Amino acid sequence: MKLNKRSVAHYALSDSPADHTGFLRIWGGPGTPTTPSGTGRRCWFVLKGNLLFSFESPEGRAPLSLVVLEGCTVELAEAPIPEEFAFAIRFDAPGVRPHLLAADGQAAQEAWVKALSRASFGYMRLVVRELEGQLQEARQSLASHRCATRKAIASRCKPQAPNHLFPSPENGHFLPSNCSSMGSTEEGGSRPAGRDLAEWEWQGPASFLLSKGQSPVSPETSCFSTLHDWYGQEIVELRRGWQQRALGGQLECEP
């Protein structure tokens, strides 16, 4: 990989926010000066994206080394000095020496391992795929929820079926429940074929009930003799009243 030294140094010193910073002790690695005592070199590290820079101090103006965090793994390791919280950056390419680093404490060690493990583009691809899968599931769940909501609203707004227990009047009269309001035969309760509309409206459903052997007022009267007596009551009353008036007129004429 070829990098422009000046461009890389400008990016390292720019005001762009860093992902992680702190002091680390380093052993080996390209561009890192060796220490005769074996205690390693304490440097200031700056992580920006997948680039790990090292400086002499936080005020340093020139990076000492650069590590491109691609095709590598970060794992815990043993430091040459006891009681050091060390970890190593190992590359899959043959002939590349690992970078051995150590933090000042366990919390700093865990933070650095986590930050360096998430710095590569390979990790970002996995994160993006996972987020895309979650987004797709969320969209499907939202679509199914909206479909269920629309179905529920449609079921509530569905027109109710007409109440057959209380039918609407036909020509001002209520027909029996077993008679349909539409049809061409007397069984359906509508105007029979071949009969005049005025005649049918004048007779009304009473003629239909009479044809069934039932009274429109007293449906339980079904035989002819009962119907004759029931309809004859009014005639008997009228005849009795006429006879009384006629008898009263005769009495007035006798004197």
Side-chain angles (χ1 to χ4, degrees), residues 31-61:
T32 303
T34 60
T35 54
S37 61
T39 58
R41 185 180 180 87
R42 184 178 171 84
C43 301
W44 177 258
F45 283 83
V46 177
L47 175 63
K48 288 188 175 184
N50 62 341
L51 301 179
L52 179 63
F53 300 95
S54 65
F55 297 88
E56 285 283 352
S57 64
E59 294 79 17
R61 303 306 300 171

Side-chain angles (χ1 to χ4, degrees), residues 167-219:
S168 58
E170 180 73 20
N171 293 331
H173 302 278
F174 286 92
L175 294 180
S177 59
N178 60 348
C179 299
S180 172
S181 60
M182 297 297 294
S184 60
T185 62
E186 292 190 18
E187 295 293 333
S190 61
R191 181 171 61 92
R195 299 183 63 178
D196 185 63
L197 177 61
E199 180 184 358
W200 169 252
E201 291 181 351
W202 178 77
Q203 292 183 356
S207 61
F208 171 77
L209 294 173
L210 290 176
S211 64
K212 293 292 186 178
Q214 297 181 1
S215 169
V217 181
S218 181

